[in-house]
Amino acid sequence: MLITCPYCGPRDVIEFTYQGDGNRERPQPASQDLDAWNAYVYDRLNPAGDHNEIWQHSGGCRAHLRVVRNTLTHEISSVAFTRGHHKVAARHKAEGKI
Amino acid sequence: MSPRRTDAGGRIDRLRTIRFTFDGAAYTGHAGDTLASALLANGVTLFGRSFKYHRPRGVLTSGVEEPNALVTVLRGEVREPNIAATMVEIYDGLTAVSQNRFPSLAWDISAANQLGGKLLSAGFYYKTFMGPAIGPLKSTRFWMFCEHFIRRAAGLGRAGTAADTARYERMNAFCDVLVVGSGPAGLMAARAAADQGARVILSELEPRFGGSANWSAETIDGMPGADWAARAAGQLEGYDNVRLLPRTTVWGYYDGNTLAALERVTDHKERPGKGEPRHRYWIIRAKSVVLATGSFERPLVFPGNDRPGVMLAHAAERYANEYGVLPGHRIALFTNNDSAYRSALALKKAGAAIVAIVDVRPELSSEMRELADEAEAKSLAGHAVVATEGGKALSGIKVQRFDMVNGALAGDQRSIQADCLLMSGGWSPTIHLASQAGAKAEWNAARQAFLPPKPTQQWPTRRWIGAGAFTGSFSTAEAIAEGRAAGLSAAGGTGTPAALPVVEAAPGDPDPAPVFEIRADGKSFVDFQHDVTAEDVRLAHREGFISVEHLKRYTTLGMATDQGKSSNIPGLAIMAEALGKPIPEVGTTRFRPPFSAVSIGSLAAERFGDLKAERLTPMHDWHVANGATMYSAGLWYRPMIYGHPGETIEQAYVREARATRESAGIVDVSTLGKIAVQGPDAAGFLDRVYTNMFSTLAVGKARYGLMLREDGLAFDDGTTWRLGEQDFLMTTTTANAGKVMQHLEYFLDVIWPELKVHVTSVTDQWAGAAIGGPKARAILAACITGTAVDNAALPFMGIVHGKISGVPVMICRLSFSGEMAFEVYSGAGYGTHVWEALIDAGKPFGLVAYGLEALGTMRIEKGHVTGAEIDGRTTARDLHLDWMLSKKKPFIGSAMMDREGLIAPSRLELVGLISLDNQPLSGGAHIVEALDQANPHDSIGHITACCYSPALGKYIALALVKDGKARRGTRAHISDPLRNRFGPVEIVSNHFFDPDGSRMHG
Ligand SMILES: [Zn+2]
C-alpha cells in the first residue's frame, strides 16, 4: 500500500503508523459525559468501503495525515494534513517535489 | 522394471556427475537434475509415506505443486523439512531424507493405519476430541493424552532445533513491468516491454527460463522450444533495462502493485559464495504486472491413484525431455483430454513402450487416433482405470468400460501390465496471484476450469494483464501472441507489426471431458498430501458441510503445504456432484499468500543476525572495556552487571547495590527517552498530558509525572524538568520513548492543533549518568565547577548548570535508587568524558559503576514501578499512585479512569513479597492462598519483579495481587509449576526500604 504524503510524496505503508479511526470525536476535556467518552474510546464503525483514518508518517516527516481508504480495495482517495502545513505542501507541489 | 536414465537427450549435463545421499544411501546424478529426477534415474520410486495412512508414495509431478515427494534437506545441524524433491536442485554433498516413516521408508509400522481407514476419515479429529466429555474416549482432555502418539504417526517432516545460521537479505525493487513466469508468454511479454524501453523484471521459479518450452516437443521458429527459450532469455540478459530473476517465486500480491518474491540464491550450491545470502526476499513495486504463470495439470480421482508409479502425464513428458529420465518402460496413460496424447508420443520417442491410452471419452478425434497410432499405443476410448496394482511400485492397472454421461462402469475388468501410469484430468490455470489481487475467478465450462476474470473486475490498486495458459489459452501459439500483446500493453506501447514466432505443435483440443472421478471400490485420493479421499468429501457432505469453506476445514482438503494446487478442482467437482449443483454455484475458495512456502528467515532478513540495528549509548565502549556484561533491551545495549572474575550474576549485583547504598554508585541512564517540549502553550499542554500539574512547576525544578491512556489505564512515567518558562525537558521510560513521542504528536496534530507547542525527540542528544549514594554529593562537589551542589543551591528536584572537566553539564537532583542521587546530563559527544571524570572523582569515595540488575534491585527495594507493573492493565490506583491524580484539571484519561471496573475492590494491586523460605522468588510466578497440588487454588496475582535485597538481606519481589493492600501482613504462596518453585511468602507494602525517603532527601 502506498500513501502519498503531502510533504514527502508516495511512500510505502511501512513508513507509516496507523493512529486510529478518523471519525472519532473527542469530547471536551472537562466533559463528564461517560457515554460520549465511551463512544470516543471504543465505538468504531468498521465500514466496508471508504473509511476516514489517521496515519502518521512516523518514518518520514512525522506529520499526521487524514486518509480516506477503501477497506475493500485499499484504494486511497484522499490524503490531507490534520493541521495546517498547507503552505509548505503547496510550495512543494509548485516546486515539483511531489 | 524401474525408471531409468535415457541414453541421450534432456537438458542435463551428462559430463558432470554429482554425488548426493537420500536416506543414507549414496546416489549420483547430473548437473541440471532435481532430486526427483536424479532419484528416478536411479530407479527409486518410493519417496515418502502419506500423512494419515502411511501409504507408500512416489513422485506425482515435476514442479512446485508436488504433494507427495516431500523430503527434509540437512545442512550441518540445520534441517529443513517438507521440501518438494521436484524443487531441489542436486549438488555435491546434498543430504536428503524421507519423512513420516518409522522406522524406515520401505518398512513402516504405521502403514497398518490403512486397515483402520474408517477411524481416520473426515472430521476424525473433531468427532473424537472436541466437545463435552461423554464416556472415557472423548473430549479435549483425551486429545491431550493422545496428541503425542497421533502427532508421531500422522505428520510431515520434523523441524530441527539447531539455530539457522544462514544469512538472509531483503531487497526493494522498482520496475515498470513485472513479468511473472518465463514460459513462451512471459518471455514474449518481457521482450515486448523491454523493447518499449520499460524497466522490466522477469521472474521464474525454476532455475531455467522457458517454462513448458523446456520440455515440450514443439518447435518455435524452427528450433526446439528449449533452444528458442534459451536464446530469448539470453537476449534479454543483454538489455540494460531488464533484470532476470531465476529461482524466484513471486508469492504475494499486495496493494499498489507491490509483490513479494523469494529468490533461492544458494540452495542449489554446495556452499554460498562470499557474502551471498541463502534467500533474498524481494519487495517489488511494479507499475504494471504481467501474469504468465501457466497452468497445473490435474490428477484424475480413481481407486489406487496414489500408488508410486502413478504420475501426471506432462510430468513424465518433462522427466523424459528435460531430465533424460524415463519414469517407466511400459507406460499406460489415463486421460479425459487431448494433451496426454502428446505426452504419450514424447515418451515413446524417448524409448518407452506405450501399452495403452485409456480415455474416458467415447469418441476420439482423428488427430488423436493418429497420435495414438504413432505412439504404437492401444487406444481404449470410453474406458476408465478402476484399480492399480503393485506395492511400492506399480505392476499393472485394471480398466473397464465407462460411460462418461452417467459415470457407470460396465463389462469385465481387464488387466494391463504397466510399470507407470500417467494421468491427465485437464488443466487449471495458475490463478493464485490474480486471486490474491482480489479477482474472483470465473468458471469456464468448456475448459472445465476457473479462469481469471476480465480486467474490468480488478481492484484499482492491484492491476495486472494475463497471458498464455494463465488465461486458459493453452496452446503455445496463443501464449506467444498474448505474451507480446500483454508486454506491449503493460509498457504502454502501441504495438509493432513484426511477425510473431512460428510454432509447430501437435494438434489438440484444449477442452477436456467433464470427468473428474471414477467411482469404484477402493481409496480414491483427491488431496494426496493430506490423504483426503473422494469418500471423505462425500462423508462431509452427508454430515451437512455444504459450504466449500466448511468442507475444506472439515476434511482438511487443500490445507497441506501444497495448498491443494493439484486437489482443489477435483475436490470441488466431487462436492458439486454431491450437492447436485454445477461447479460455479459451489464456488471456489480464495487463494491467499504465500503461493508456496516462504522461509521465515527471509521475512526477518535484516532484523536479526549481523544486520540487526543496534543502539549504543555514548559510554558503551567504556562499559565493555570495564567488564560489563551487556544486555539487549529493545535495540539498546545496556550494562547488566560489571562482574568480577568468579562472581555469579547475583553476587555481582548485590555487591554493586550494596556499595551504592554504602558509599556511591553510578549508572548510565542515556537510554531514557528525552523529549523537548517547547512553546508558549507547553506548560498547559503538559497539564493535559500528565495526571499532575506542571504549569505550577518553577523554572529550574523537576517533577515526577504520570501519564494515562485515553481509557484511563496507566501509560508511562518519568520526570520533566522546567528549563525555561516555555522550555521543558521530558524524560520517559526507555521502552516507551517512541510511544510517548507519538502520543504527544498525535494530540498536538489531531486533537489540539491550536496549541502552540513543538515536541522534539532529543534522546540521542544527551548523555546521562545517575550518581547516587551517601557519598554522591561529595563526589559531585569534587569535580563540578560553576555551581554549588549543597542543599541550598541544589535542593531535592532542583536543577543546576555547571561544568565537569571543562564540559557544560546540567544536573538534576532526583532519585530512582532511593539514595541521594543526581542525574548528570551532558552533550552526547562528551558522555564518556564526563563519565570518566565522575569515575575519577569517585575513586577516593569508593564509587562503583552498576548495571541494570543493581538498578532493578534498588528500585524493587524502593517499590518504584516500571513497565513490568505499568503493563497496560493497571491503573494509577492499582499502583498506589492515586496521589498524582489532580482534581483541579482534566487530563488525558481523567474521564475514563473512574469507571466501575477500574475502581473495583477485587483489582490487582501492587504489593511487596518477602520469601519466607529464604529461597529466590521467580518472575512471573503466580500467587495462591494455599498450596494444594491435587486441587490447585485460583491465582490471586503474579510476581512482576524479584531480586535478592542486600538492604533487607532477603529474597523479595514486587507483585500484583488481588485486593493486595488489604492483604498486607498476611501470608500466601508462590506457585510456579513450570520451574517447580513453590514456597511461602509474606505480603507487605511495596516500599520495603526507607519508606519515608529520608536517605534521598538528606
Ligand atoms: Zn511525510
Side-chain angles (χ1 to χ4, degrees), chain A residues 1 12 17 19 24 26 29-30 34 37-38 40-42 54 56 58 62-64 72-75 82-83, chain B residues 255 258 285 459-461 710-711 741-742 745-753 755 890 892 895-896 899:
Chain A
M1 195 163 94
D12 189 83
T17 308
Q19 290 278 60
R24 288 178 295 171
R26 195 175 196 273
L34 257 188
W37 280 105
N38 190 69
Y40 164 67
V41 173
Y42 295 110
I54 307 292
Q56 184 184 18
S58 45
R62 294 195 73 86
H64 279 83
L72 295 175
T73 65
H74 294 195
E75 190 178 17
T82 56
R83 66 190 285 191
Chain B
D255 306 294
T258 304
R285 283 166 230 295
W459 287 9
T461 53
E710 286 277 34
D711 62 7
M741 183 69 189
Q742 279 193 312
E745 287 171 327
Y746 175 81
F747 277 91
L748 289 173
D749 262 4
V750 181
I751 308 291
W752 303 311
L755 289 186
I892 294 169
M896 299 291 270
R899 285 177 295 158

Side-chain angles (χ1 to χ4, degrees), chain A residues 5-9 11 15-16 57 60-63 65 81:
Chain A
C5 172
Y7 269 141
C8 313
R11 297 301 181 93
E15 292 186 11
F16 295 84
H57 194 189
C61 63
R62 294 195 73 86
L65 309 171
F81 288 119

